[in-house]
Amino acid sequence: MVFGGIGLIAYSLTPIFVSELNHMPIMKLFWTYIVPSTIFGLTMLVLDSFMQSRGFMKRITDVQNFANVVAERDYTKDNLKIRSRDELGVITNHLNSFYDETRDLLLNINQAVEDSLDNANRLSDNMKETTSSVGNIIDNVNTVKNMVEGQALVVDKSYSTINDMIKK
């Protein structure tokens, strides 16, 4: 805006420094060249200011909307487009970096949770299989125990019979 104002002054006063216009009376020069060029320059300055303000507000609105998306924890949106290399461009770049790093971190956490659930399910299946195997081992041990007890009864009977035979 400052440079636009300086340019406007320089543009408006240019007719004073043109040597072909030195013969013209100052009032005629003023009304014929300086006033119209000043009006034209002011119009351009106002339009330029309006366009810059409008573009600046558009970028501010984009940053604000993007910040709202991040605040709502929505990491499915695309990054902001960097439209300038000024302070807003730097802020936009930093917001995009924050957004990308947070999204990647959340994706990594989500993947780790899925991996943990898979491991827990495998462990649960292994525990069920182990429980079944332990049950089979217990059944086999009980069967062997019953057979040993049966053989012990037979041995006791044989011992009793042999003792009875020896006594007779």
Side-chain angles (χ1 to χ4, degrees):
M1 183 87 168
V2 172
F3 292 114
I6 292 170
L8 172 65
I9 292 170
Y11 176 73
S12 298
L13 296 178
T14 301
I16 295 174
F17 301 109
V18 175
S19 59
E20 286 85 24
L21 299 176
N22 283 346
H23 69 282
M24 196 179 264
I26 193 75
M27 288 309 282
K28 186 172 182 182
L29 184 66
F30 180 75
W31 289 107
T32 307
Y33 292 101
I34 295 175
V35 169
S37 63
T38 302
I39 291 172
F40 176 75
L42 281 173
T43 303
M44 290 296 116
L45 184 64
V46 168
L47 285 175
D48 183 48
S49 297
F50 175 72
M51 296 297 281
Q52 282 183 343
S53 296
R54 187 171 161 208
F56 186 77
M57 290 308 297
K58 169 80 171 106
R59 292 184 295 153
I60 290 287
T61 302
D62 289 346
V63 168
Q64 182 180 12
N65 290 338
F66 187 74
N68 286 337
V69 165
V70 171
E72 292 171 0
R73 297 179 186 101
D74 182 5
Y75 292 96
T76 60
K77 306 292 183 194
D78 291 333
N79 286 349
L80 276 176
K81 291 180 183 175
I82 299 174
R83 298 181 183 182
S84 65
R85 295 169 68 181
D86 60 359
E87 290 81 7
L88 278 178
V90 171
I91 289 172
T92 301
N93 187 37
H94 289 307
L95 274 173
N96 284 338
S97 295
F98 169 75
Y99 182 75
D100 290 340
E101 289 177 21
T102 304
R103 181 180 56 214
D104 291 346
L105 179 66
L106 290 174
L107 288 174
N108 288 340
I109 290 171
N110 191 30
Q111 185 62 44
V113 167
E114 289 177 8
D115 291 346
S116 294
L117 287 174
D118 289 343
N119 288 336
N121 287 335
R122 277 197 303 274
L123 182 61
S124 173
D125 291 342
N126 289 341
M127 290 300 293
K128 288 176 185 174
E129 187 177 318
T130 301
T131 301
S132 174
S133 296
V134 168
N136 289 339
I137 291 171
I138 289 172
D139 290 343
N140 289 337
V141 166
N142 285 336
T143 301
V144 169
K145 175 186 158 198
N146 290 337
M147 292 172 106
V148 167
E149 287 175 352
Q151 286 178 353
L153 285 175
V154 169
V155 168
D156 283 344
K157 254 186 185 177
S158 297
Y159 181 73
S160 289
T161 304
I162 291 175
N163 280 339
D164 284 345
M165 287 172 63
I166 293 177
K167 287 183 189 180
K168 290 191 188 186

